[in-house]
Amino acid sequence: MRFEIVARDGSSRARAGLLHTSCGIVETPAFMPVGTAGTVKGMTQAQLEELGVQILLANTYHLYLRPGYETIRDAGGLHSFMSWPRPILTDSGGFQVMSLKGLGRATEEGFRFRSHLDGSSHFLSPERTVEVQLALGADIIMALDECVEYPASHEAARRATKLTGRWARRAKEYYLNTVDSGAGAQSNGVPSPSSDSRLQTLGFCSDPPHPEPQVPALFGIVQGGTDRGLRGESAEEIVEIGFAGYAIGGLSVGEPKEETYSLAEFTAGLLPWERPRYLMGVGTPADLVECVSRGIDLFDCVLPTRNARNGCVFTSQGKLVVRNARYAREDVPLDPACQCAVCRRYSRGYIRHLFAAGEMLAAILATYHNLNFYLDTMRRIRQAIISGHLSKFLESVRG
Amino acid sequence: MRFEIVARDGSSRARAGLLHTSCGIVETPAFMPVGTAGTVKGMTQAQLEELGVQILLANTYHLYLRPGYETIRDAGGLHSFMSWPRPILTDSGGFQVMSLKGLGRATEEGFRFRSHLDGSSHFLSPERTVEVQLALGADIIMALDECVEYPASHEAARRATKLTGRWARRAKEYYLNTVDSGAGAQSNGVPSPSSDSRLQTLGFCSDPPHPEPQVPALFGIVQGGTDRGLRGESAEEIVEIGFAGYAIGGLSVGEPKEETYSLAEFTAGLLPWERPRYLMGVGTPADLVECVSRGIDLFDCVLPTRNARNGCVFTSQGKLVVRNARYAREDVPLDPACQCAVCRRYSRGYIRHLFAAGEMLAAILATYHNLNFYLDTMRRIRQAIISGHLSKFLESVRG
């Protein structure tokens, strides 16, 4: 994987880049829609392509439990299984294990947890999550970390941060042994997306074609809670181990927004300039703009898709709860300023009716619009960076 | 509305036609997907267009209760409300009233019923259903009828059939008074699809454009249960009243399949050759083929869409319950002989996973495939009629 910075903003830490992955190029800053179980809820893959999605996130925890990583590996990997030829990032599974309260606990060795589906017992170590993610065949995979809760005692934050460091080292070691063992990707059962004929037919994958099977890039995660000292130690350790990219974890977990921005900026400043930076689980459209200007390149969040299913859409005038009765007779689009396929075709009144009637199309149309809003926001930020107008763009967003 | 027969089969009663409606042409024989509440469950309108859907059915009962016909009328009619520029047929609402057991009862005047949503009391007369359907602005509207249950006593069947005849006369009279009163469609608040700018932008409606607002065509319904005598009396009466097209109601309600085919053929034979014939609520792919050969032009049924949501798909090799665990690792399309967008892209294993995980995309993909199977079946039947190979086609289907 190669990260190419094509422009930087003069008045902030923002940069525009190109992430060259084994499966295609991602223009950064980029937002990754969340496809938890190998599908972005309510969207067909064709709609995601139409929206211009360049990279998806999928959850290792969910796919590991169902349908099982062996099933996906045997189907040629996640690209082939879900018929998604563009880049995919998988998380480590650790966050889900810990956020499904009471199901898991961290030991030095890893996470022991019970399935939320059937109560069966499982174990996820730093080595194991790399093994599973290699089998899933994503383009970017994540090291196992322990996310610090908010609020947390200094001792708890320190303990989790140190554990994250030791796990990162083990993940890196296992990764190197596996992908460099001459074994490489393929003999370990790692699918090579470029060898899948269905994806080649679709004409997306491997552009340009790779003569050699590509190995996924491993990202490390910086923790440290809200303590700048711990953030600094964690960043130093993770960077010292060395990864293809760096994620900032443990933010947007309940701390005040100003703290999120400030810690993202502080932590990003400790990471190597030439590597991509991924702020996990963030956030609102305003968060994206603010954090790009603080040096972040990649984002993921369930907000656009989850809010859509609840009848809440993002517009140029702010949030709009389209399921409210007040929109029942409004013959205007969700966002009159939006040019997406939903806003060109459907009225608020119709979409409100679909929500009231419990129709699937309600969630489908709202999700499509919200994803377009997020992706379009990122495209506009990127264009502003490249054209040197980011400060003006920030002013207009901040109002 | 004009019905043009372009080919007839030499060895059966099948014919191929063109139904020229106020909103476009429908090639017959045709299958109408069911869009109960102004949406075909799980499909976007763009997907329906992509599938080649030429006419949709919407349920007056559901739309009358939610969002209310005034809301749809004020939005410019159902075409505009749901952004569907191609032809629409609305039913009378009578069948839903009676099939939601205990909610309604028929008197000479009409149906008095309670809403299944909130228990509120409503009244649907032959006049009222025409009024509501004119406000919805469909291209084909249906007279109110009373469907005979199966099995029914001769007396019950006779009573319902006679009532259906008297109601048909009242519906026709109200329809003529309304659309011919100089008032015409527009001053009665009937939306004219061709005046809707959003639909014109989409480039579908009014092809070729109509200088005058078009009025919907009214279809009459023949009842009579399984009694040929009553079927004959009903057909005679309904044809004597005179309608733009004729529906055969009260079939596929529990009687043996051979009886359905035989009664459809018997009744179709009593209807004027030059008018379209619509067999309501039928049926399986085999039913469509059999009934086309018995002289039917139009069909509607919830089977392809409802079965899809339950994980059951139609294929060239018969039905397949894709949600079954046995398909978890099958890397072949739902139907290897199918060329639809779903079969070109997704595997049984992936779709089975989506059903197991309760993901919306499961229903979306299965619905798309099933609708394609139905529409493609109709296209193949029509082509067989036109090319004079229907008997060969029937043989291949009957196996």
Side-chain angles (χ1 to χ4, degrees), chain B residues 149-174:
Chain B
E149 287 185 323
Y150 180 88
S153 69
H154 182 78
E155 184 45 34
R158 205 188 63 81
R159 199 200 51 75
T161 303
K162 292 297 166 195
L163 185 61
T164 294
R166 294 191 296 274
W167 282 0
R169 210 172 288 277
R170 284 167 54 189
K172 172 81 180 287
E173 191 172 353
Y174 181 86

PDB file of all heavy atoms in Angstrom, chain B residues 149-174:
ATOM      1  N   GLU B 149     -66.317 -16.360  -1.408  1.00  0.00           N
ATOM      2  CA  GLU B 149     -65.358 -17.224  -0.720  1.00  0.00           C
ATOM      3  C   GLU B 149     -65.392 -18.642  -1.299  1.00  0.00           C
ATOM      4  O   GLU B 149     -66.338 -19.023  -1.987  1.00  0.00           O
ATOM      5  CB  GLU B 149     -65.701 -17.304   0.775  1.00  0.00           C
ATOM      6  CG  GLU B 149     -65.365 -16.035   1.535  1.00  0.00           C
ATOM      7  CD  GLU B 149     -65.609 -16.217   3.025  1.00  0.00           C
ATOM      8  OE1 GLU B 149     -66.584 -16.911   3.392  1.00  0.00           O
ATOM      9  OE2 GLU B 149     -64.827 -15.677   3.810  1.00  0.00           O
ATOM     10  N   TYR B 150     -64.362 -19.414  -0.994  1.00  0.00           N
ATOM     11  CA  TYR B 150     -64.354 -20.818  -1.383  1.00  0.00           C
ATOM     12  C   TYR B 150     -64.115 -21.668  -0.151  1.00  0.00           C
ATOM     13  O   TYR B 150     -63.169 -21.400   0.580  1.00  0.00           O
ATOM     14  CB  TYR B 150     -63.274 -21.109  -2.417  1.00  0.00           C
ATOM     15  CG  TYR B 150     -63.257 -22.558  -2.835  1.00  0.00           C
ATOM     16  CD1 TYR B 150     -64.056 -22.987  -3.886  1.00  0.00           C
ATOM     17  CD2 TYR B 150     -62.478 -23.496  -2.164  1.00  0.00           C
ATOM     18  CE1 TYR B 150     -64.070 -24.308  -4.266  1.00  0.00           C
ATOM     19  CE2 TYR B 150     -62.491 -24.826  -2.537  1.00  0.00           C
ATOM     20  CZ  TYR B 150     -63.288 -25.226  -3.590  1.00  0.00           C
ATOM     21  OH  TYR B 150     -63.308 -26.540  -3.978  1.00  0.00           O
ATOM     22  N   PRO B 151     -64.942 -22.684   0.117  1.00  0.00           N
ATOM     23  CA  PRO B 151     -66.173 -22.990  -0.629  1.00  0.00           C
ATOM     24  C   PRO B 151     -67.312 -22.081  -0.191  1.00  0.00           C
ATOM     25  O   PRO B 151     -67.288 -21.556   0.920  1.00  0.00           O
ATOM     26  CB  PRO B 151     -66.447 -24.443  -0.241  1.00  0.00           C
ATOM     27  CG  PRO B 151     -65.861 -24.581   1.132  1.00  0.00           C
ATOM     28  CD  PRO B 151     -64.691 -23.643   1.195  1.00  0.00           C
ATOM     29  N   ALA B 152     -68.305 -21.896  -1.048  1.00  0.00           N
ATOM     30  CA  ALA B 152     -69.474 -21.085  -0.705  1.00  0.00           C
ATOM     31  C   ALA B 152     -70.723 -21.850  -1.117  1.00  0.00           C
ATOM     32  O   ALA B 152     -70.703 -22.632  -2.072  1.00  0.00           O
ATOM     33  CB  ALA B 152     -69.415 -19.747  -1.433  1.00  0.00           C
ATOM     34  N   SER B 153     -71.798 -21.645  -0.387  1.00  0.00           N
ATOM     35  CA  SER B 153     -73.072 -22.246  -0.787  1.00  0.00           C
ATOM     36  C   SER B 153     -73.531 -21.574  -2.078  1.00  0.00           C
ATOM     37  O   SER B 153     -73.122 -20.449  -2.391  1.00  0.00           O
ATOM     38  CB  SER B 153     -74.119 -22.017   0.303  1.00  0.00           C
ATOM     39  OG  SER B 153     -74.446 -20.629   0.350  1.00  0.00           O
ATOM     40  N   HIS B 154     -74.369 -22.272  -2.825  1.00  0.00           N
ATOM     41  CA  HIS B 154     -74.875 -21.671  -4.051  1.00  0.00           C
ATOM     42  C   HIS B 154     -75.579 -20.363  -3.754  1.00  0.00           C
ATOM     43  O   HIS B 154     -75.407 -19.368  -4.465  1.00  0.00           O
ATOM     44  CB  HIS B 154     -75.841 -22.621  -4.767  1.00  0.00           C
ATOM     45  CG  HIS B 154     -76.349 -22.044  -6.059  1.00  0.00           C
ATOM     46  ND1 HIS B 154     -75.590 -22.025  -7.214  1.00  0.00           N
ATOM     47  CD2 HIS B 154     -77.527 -21.425  -6.352  1.00  0.00           C
ATOM     48  CE1 HIS B 154     -76.283 -21.438  -8.173  1.00  0.00           C
ATOM     49  NE2 HIS B 154     -77.465 -21.060  -7.691  1.00  0.00           N
ATOM     50  N   GLU B 155     -76.311 -20.339  -2.649  1.00  0.00           N
ATOM     51  CA  GLU B 155     -77.077 -19.143  -2.313  1.00  0.00           C
ATOM     52  C   GLU B 155     -76.144 -17.961  -2.014  1.00  0.00           C
ATOM     53  O   GLU B 155     -76.373 -16.841  -2.482  1.00  0.00           O
ATOM     54  CB  GLU B 155     -77.989 -19.433  -1.107  1.00  0.00           C
ATOM     55  CG  GLU B 155     -78.900 -18.285  -0.715  1.00  0.00           C
ATOM     56  CD  GLU B 155     -79.607 -17.620  -1.898  1.00  0.00           C
ATOM     57  OE1 GLU B 155     -79.948 -18.321  -2.881  1.00  0.00           O
ATOM     58  OE2 GLU B 155     -79.795 -16.378  -1.858  1.00  0.00           O
ATOM     59  N   ALA B 156     -75.080 -18.232  -1.252  1.00  0.00           N
ATOM     60  CA  ALA B 156     -74.133 -17.157  -0.925  1.00  0.00           C
ATOM     61  C   ALA B 156     -73.445 -16.665  -2.190  1.00  0.00           C
ATOM     62  O   ALA B 156     -73.257 -15.456  -2.392  1.00  0.00           O
ATOM     63  CB  ALA B 156     -73.097 -17.659   0.083  1.00  0.00           C
ATOM     64  N   ALA B 157     -73.076 -17.597  -3.054  1.00  0.00           N
ATOM     65  CA  ALA B 157     -72.412 -17.219  -4.299  1.00  0.00           C
ATOM     66  C   ALA B 157     -73.355 -16.394  -5.176  1.00  0.00           C
ATOM     67  O   ALA B 157     -72.963 -15.388  -5.779  1.00  0.00           O
ATOM     68  CB  ALA B 157     -71.936 -18.471  -5.044  1.00  0.00           C
ATOM     69  N   ARG B 158     -74.606 -16.839  -5.252  1.00  0.00           N
ATOM     70  CA  ARG B 158     -75.573 -16.131  -6.083  1.00  0.00           C
ATOM     71  C   ARG B 158     -75.798 -14.700  -5.561  1.00  0.00           C
ATOM     72  O   ARG B 158     -75.816 -13.728  -6.318  1.00  0.00           O
ATOM     73  CB  ARG B 158     -76.903 -16.891  -6.091  1.00  0.00           C
ATOM     74  CG  ARG B 158     -77.778 -16.637  -7.328  1.00  0.00           C
ATOM     75  CD  ARG B 158     -79.139 -17.263  -7.175  1.00  0.00           C
ATOM     76  NE  ARG B 158     -79.879 -16.670  -6.071  1.00  0.00           N
ATOM     77  CZ  ARG B 158     -80.554 -15.509  -6.148  1.00  0.00           C
ATOM     78  NH1 ARG B 158     -80.589 -14.837  -7.288  1.00  0.00           N
ATOM     79  NH2 ARG B 158     -81.183 -15.028  -5.093  1.00  0.00           N
ATOM     80  N   ARG B 159     -75.927 -14.600  -4.239  1.00  0.00           N
ATOM     81  CA  ARG B 159     -76.178 -13.298  -3.634  1.00  0.00           C
ATOM     82  C   ARG B 159     -75.026 -12.329  -3.912  1.00  0.00           C
ATOM     83  O   ARG B 159     -75.226 -11.191  -4.338  1.00  0.00           O
ATOM     84  CB  ARG B 159     -76.369 -13.481  -2.116  1.00  0.00           C
ATOM     85  CG  ARG B 159     -77.066 -12.331  -1.398  1.00  0.00           C
ATOM     86  CD  ARG B 159     -76.773 -12.357   0.104  1.00  0.00           C
ATOM     87  NE  ARG B 159     -75.338 -12.455   0.399  1.00  0.00           N
ATOM     88  CZ  ARG B 159     -74.479 -11.447   0.275  1.00  0.00           C
ATOM     89  NH1 ARG B 159     -74.890 -10.251  -0.123  1.00  0.00           N
ATOM     90  NH2 ARG B 159     -73.197 -11.629   0.539  1.00  0.00           N
ATOM     91  N   ALA B 160     -73.780 -12.799  -3.692  1.00  0.00           N
ATOM     92  CA  ALA B 160     -72.611 -11.936  -3.900  1.00  0.00           C
ATOM     93  C   ALA B 160     -72.468 -11.561  -5.374  1.00  0.00           C
ATOM     94  O   ALA B 160     -72.099 -10.433  -5.720  1.00  0.00           O
ATOM     95  CB  ALA B 160     -71.338 -12.643  -3.409  1.00  0.00           C
ATOM     96  N   THR B 161     -72.772 -12.497  -6.254  1.00  0.00           N
ATOM     97  CA  THR B 161     -72.633 -12.234  -7.681  1.00  0.00           C
ATOM     98  C   THR B 161     -73.654 -11.195  -8.138  1.00  0.00           C
ATOM     99  O   THR B 161     -73.328 -10.287  -8.919  1.00  0.00           O
ATOM    100  CB  THR B 161     -72.792 -13.554  -8.460  1.00  0.00           C
ATOM    101  OG1 THR B 161     -71.821 -14.485  -7.984  1.00  0.00           O
ATOM    102  CG2 THR B 161     -72.602 -13.335  -9.945  1.00  0.00           C
ATOM    103  N   LYS B 162     -74.860 -11.318  -7.637  1.00  0.00           N
ATOM    104  CA  LYS B 162     -75.897 -10.347  -8.005  1.00  0.00           C
ATOM    105  C   LYS B 162     -75.555  -8.958  -7.458  1.00  0.00           C
ATOM    106  O   LYS B 162     -75.746  -7.945  -8.132  1.00  0.00           O
ATOM    107  CB  LYS B 162     -77.264 -10.798  -7.455  1.00  0.00           C
ATOM    108  CG  LYS B 162     -77.802 -12.054  -8.118  1.00  0.00           C
ATOM    109  CD  LYS B 162     -78.039 -11.803  -9.606  1.00  0.00           C
ATOM    110  CE  LYS B 162     -78.257 -13.108 -10.357  1.00  0.00           C
ATOM    111  NZ  LYS B 162     -78.125 -12.927 -11.822  1.00  0.00           N
ATOM    112  N   LEU B 163     -75.085  -8.943  -6.208  1.00  0.00           N
ATOM    113  CA  LEU B 163     -74.698  -7.661  -5.606  1.00  0.00           C
ATOM    114  C   LEU B 163     -73.579  -7.020  -6.430  1.00  0.00           C
ATOM    115  O   LEU B 163     -73.592  -5.816  -6.700  1.00  0.00           O
ATOM    116  CB  LEU B 163     -74.236  -7.887  -4.157  1.00  0.00           C
ATOM    117  CG  LEU B 163     -73.907  -6.635  -3.337  1.00  0.00           C
ATOM    118  CD1 LEU B 163     -75.141  -5.732  -3.193  1.00  0.00           C
ATOM    119  CD2 LEU B 163     -73.377  -7.015  -1.949  1.00  0.00           C
ATOM    120  N   THR B 164     -72.608  -7.833  -6.850  1.00  0.00           N
ATOM    121  CA  THR B 164     -71.504  -7.334  -7.672  1.00  0.00           C
ATOM    122  C   THR B 164     -72.045  -6.695  -8.965  1.00  0.00           C
ATOM    123  O   THR B 164     -71.557  -5.648  -9.405  1.00  0.00           O
ATOM    124  CB  THR B 164     -70.535  -8.492  -8.009  1.00  0.00           C
ATOM    125  OG1 THR B 164     -69.914  -8.937  -6.800  1.00  0.00           O
ATOM    126  CG2 THR B 164     -69.462  -8.069  -8.993  1.00  0.00           C
ATOM    127  N   GLY B 165     -73.064  -7.298  -9.531  1.00  0.00           N
ATOM    128  CA  GLY B 165     -73.673  -6.747 -10.744  1.00  0.00           C
ATOM    129  C   GLY B 165     -74.321  -5.385 -10.490  1.00  0.00           C
ATOM    130  O   GLY B 165     -74.108  -4.432 -11.253  1.00  0.00           O
ATOM    131  N   ARG B 166     -75.094  -5.293  -9.410  1.00  0.00           N
ATOM    132  CA  ARG B 166     -75.738  -4.007  -9.110  1.00  0.00           C
ATOM    133  C   ARG B 166     -74.692  -2.939  -8.793  1.00  0.00           C
ATOM    134  O   ARG B 166     -74.825  -1.779  -9.198  1.00  0.00           O
ATOM    135  CB  ARG B 166     -76.717  -4.176  -7.940  1.00  0.00           C
ATOM    136  CG  ARG B 166     -77.917  -5.068  -8.264  1.00  0.00           C
ATOM    137  CD  ARG B 166     -79.001  -5.004  -7.204  1.00  0.00           C
ATOM    138  NE  ARG B 166     -78.588  -5.497  -5.896  1.00  0.00           N
ATOM    139  CZ  ARG B 166     -78.634  -6.798  -5.529  1.00  0.00           C
ATOM    140  NH1 ARG B 166     -79.038  -7.729  -6.376  1.00  0.00           N
ATOM    141  NH2 ARG B 166     -78.246  -7.152  -4.317  1.00  0.00           N
ATOM    142  N   TRP B 167     -73.637  -3.349  -8.077  1.00  0.00           N
ATOM    143  CA  TRP B 167     -72.570  -2.392  -7.755  1.00  0.00           C
ATOM    144  C   TRP B 167     -71.838  -1.929  -9.023  1.00  0.00           C
ATOM    145  O   TRP B 167     -71.441  -0.776  -9.133  1.00  0.00           O
ATOM    146  CB  TRP B 167     -71.565  -3.033  -6.790  1.00  0.00           C
ATOM    147  CG  TRP B 167     -72.037  -3.090  -5.360  1.00  0.00           C
ATOM    148  CD1 TRP B 167     -73.223  -2.637  -4.865  1.00  0.00           C
ATOM    149  CD2 TRP B 167     -71.321  -3.628  -4.251  1.00  0.00           C
ATOM    150  NE1 TRP B 167     -73.300  -2.858  -3.520  1.00  0.00           N
ATOM    151  CE2 TRP B 167     -72.143  -3.468  -3.097  1.00  0.00           C
ATOM    152  CE3 TRP B 167     -70.079  -4.234  -4.094  1.00  0.00           C
ATOM    153  CZ2 TRP B 167     -71.752  -3.884  -1.829  1.00  0.00           C
ATOM    154  CZ3 TRP B 167     -69.681  -4.649  -2.820  1.00  0.00           C
ATOM    155  CH2 TRP B 167     -70.507  -4.480  -1.701  1.00  0.00           C
ATOM    156  N   ALA B 168     -71.629  -2.852  -9.948  1.00  0.00           N
ATOM    157  CA  ALA B 168     -70.938  -2.506 -11.198  1.00  0.00           C
ATOM    158  C   ALA B 168     -71.722  -1.422 -11.946  1.00  0.00           C
ATOM    159  O   ALA B 168     -71.153  -0.473 -12.500  1.00  0.00           O
ATOM    160  CB  ALA B 168     -70.773  -3.747 -12.070  1.00  0.00           C
ATOM    161  N   ARG B 169     -73.052  -1.582 -11.952  1.00  0.00           N
ATOM    162  CA  ARG B 169     -73.900  -0.600 -12.635  1.00  0.00           C
ATOM    163  C   ARG B 169     -73.775   0.780 -11.967  1.00  0.00           C
ATOM    164  O   ARG B 169     -73.651   1.808 -12.638  1.00  0.00           O
ATOM    165  CB  ARG B 169     -75.355  -1.085 -12.600  1.00  0.00           C
ATOM    166  CG  ARG B 169     -76.207  -0.645 -13.773  1.00  0.00           C
ATOM    167  CD  ARG B 169     -77.564  -1.326 -13.776  1.00  0.00           C
ATOM    168  NE  ARG B 169     -77.521  -2.742 -14.121  1.00  0.00           N
ATOM    169  CZ  ARG B 169     -77.488  -3.206 -15.383  1.00  0.00           C
ATOM    170  NH1 ARG B 169     -77.490  -2.364 -16.411  1.00  0.00           N
ATOM    171  NH2 ARG B 169     -77.445  -4.502 -15.618  1.00  0.00           N
ATOM    172  N   ARG B 170     -73.784   0.783 -10.646  1.00  0.00           N
ATOM    173  CA  ARG B 170     -73.659   2.061  -9.925  1.00  0.00           C
ATOM    174  C   ARG B 170     -72.274   2.687 -10.153  1.00  0.00           C
ATOM    175  O   ARG B 170     -72.146   3.905 -10.310  1.00  0.00           O
ATOM    176  CB  ARG B 170     -73.897   1.836  -8.430  1.00  0.00           C
ATOM    177  CG  ARG B 170     -75.370   1.650  -8.075  1.00  0.00           C
ATOM    178  CD  ARG B 170     -75.558   1.123  -6.655  1.00  0.00           C
ATOM    179  NE  ARG B 170     -74.882   1.934  -5.637  1.00  0.00           N
ATOM    180  CZ  ARG B 170     -74.758   1.568  -4.356  1.00  0.00           C
ATOM    181  NH1 ARG B 170     -75.262   0.402  -3.932  1.00  0.00           N
ATOM    182  NH2 ARG B 170     -74.140   2.349  -3.503  1.00  0.00           N
ATOM    183  N   ALA B 171     -71.245   1.843 -10.157  1.00  0.00           N
ATOM    184  CA  ALA B 171     -69.877   2.357 -10.371  1.00  0.00           C
ATOM    185  C   ALA B 171     -69.762   3.002 -11.751  1.00  0.00           C
ATOM    186  O   ALA B 171     -69.228   4.104 -11.907  1.00  0.00           O
ATOM    187  CB  ALA B 171     -68.855   1.227 -10.233  1.00  0.00           C
ATOM    188  N   LYS B 172     -70.323   2.294 -12.756  1.00  0.00           N
ATOM    189  CA  LYS B 172     -70.267   2.808 -14.124  1.00  0.00           C
ATOM    190  C   LYS B 172     -71.002   4.144 -14.231  1.00  0.00           C
ATOM    191  O   LYS B 172     -70.498   5.101 -14.844  1.00  0.00           O
ATOM    192  CB  LYS B 172     -70.886   1.782 -15.077  1.00  0.00           C
ATOM    193  CG  LYS B 172     -71.088   2.249 -16.526  1.00  0.00           C
ATOM    194  CD  LYS B 172     -69.811   2.163 -17.342  1.00  0.00           C
ATOM    195  CE  LYS B 172     -70.023   2.623 -18.789  1.00  0.00           C
ATOM    196  NZ  LYS B 172     -70.786   1.676 -19.598  1.00  0.00           N
ATOM    197  N   GLU B 173     -72.171   4.195 -13.607  1.00  0.00           N
ATOM    198  CA  GLU B 173     -72.977   5.413 -13.671  1.00  0.00           C
ATOM    199  C   GLU B 173     -72.245   6.593 -13.019  1.00  0.00           C
ATOM    200  O   GLU B 173     -72.168   7.683 -13.577  1.00  0.00           O
ATOM    201  CB  GLU B 173     -74.324   5.173 -12.973  1.00  0.00           C
ATOM    202  CG  GLU B 173     -75.329   6.282 -13.229  1.00  0.00           C
ATOM    203  CD  GLU B 173     -76.707   5.922 -12.677  1.00  0.00           C
ATOM    204  OE1 GLU B 173     -76.880   4.751 -12.225  1.00  0.00           O
ATOM    205  OE2 GLU B 173     -77.590   6.778 -12.681  1.00  0.00           O
ATOM    206  N   TYR B 174     -71.679   6.340 -11.835  1.00  0.00           N
ATOM    207  CA  TYR B 174     -70.957   7.406 -11.139  1.00  0.00           C
ATOM    208  C   TYR B 174     -69.746   7.852 -11.963  1.00  0.00           C
ATOM    209  O   TYR B 174     -69.462   9.040 -12.089  1.00  0.00           O
ATOM    210  CB  TYR B 174     -70.504   6.931  -9.757  1.00  0.00           C
ATOM    211  CG  TYR B 174     -69.765   7.995  -8.984  1.00  0.00           C
ATOM    212  CD1 TYR B 174     -70.455   8.930  -8.220  1.00  0.00           C
ATOM    213  CD2 TYR B 174     -68.376   8.090  -9.057  1.00  0.00           C
ATOM    214  CE1 TYR B 174     -69.784   9.935  -7.538  1.00  0.00           C
ATOM    215  CE2 TYR B 174     -67.689   9.089  -8.381  1.00  0.00           C
ATOM    216  CZ  TYR B 174     -68.402  10.003  -7.622  1.00  0.00           C
ATOM    217  OH  TYR B 174     -67.726  10.998  -6.955  1.00  0.00           O
TER     218      TYR B 174
END
